[in-house]
């Protein structure tokens, strides 16, 4: 099992996380996935950057997840 942690800076609330087009968790909550390559984005509204990012989950741990950060647009 691999671990992903998605951040959304510039916002006080959490957002839903989409992985390969499907909702799978929320920001600031550890997400468990099988090893592999995934496209990660946030749920609507699309007021963040980057719009999506591709990550390779490999060799992560619960205490050392891969971290992805999205920033709220002004």
């Amino acid at each position: 099992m691999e671990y992903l942690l998605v951040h959304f800076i510039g916002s006080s609330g959490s957002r839903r996380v989409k992985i390969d087009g499907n909702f799978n968790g929320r920001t600031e909550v550890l997400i468990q996935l099988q090893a592999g390559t995934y496209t990660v984005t946030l749920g609507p509204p699309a007021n963040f950057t980057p719009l999506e990012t591709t990550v390779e989950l490999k060799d992560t741990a619960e205490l050392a997840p891969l971290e992805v950060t999205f920033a709220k647009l002004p």
Side-chain angles (χ1 to χ4, degrees):
M1 193 59 62
E2 301 296 328
Y3 299 90
L4 175 68
L5 185 59
V6 180
H7 304 284
F8 182 39
I9 59 174
S11 175
S12 59
S14 73
R15 290 284 287 269
R16 295 194 309 167
V17 175
K18 287 178 82 173
I19 298 174
D20 290 344
N22 298 306
F23 289 108
N24 189 342
R26 298 192 72 82
T27 55
E28 306 308 328
V29 177
L30 200 59
I31 299 169
Q32 295 181 1
L33 298 163
Q34 296 296 322
T37 302
Y38 298 95
T39 300
V40 181
T41 189
L42 301 177
N47 62 343
F48 54 87
T49 186
L51 287 178
E52 66 180 28
T53 187
T54 300
V55 298
E56 182 178 356
L57 283 180
K58 178 178 147 185
D59 300 326
T60 64
E62 191 171 356
L63 296 177
L66 177 67
E67 297 187 50
V68 174
T69 301
F70 294 91
K72 185 175 182 182
L73 293 172

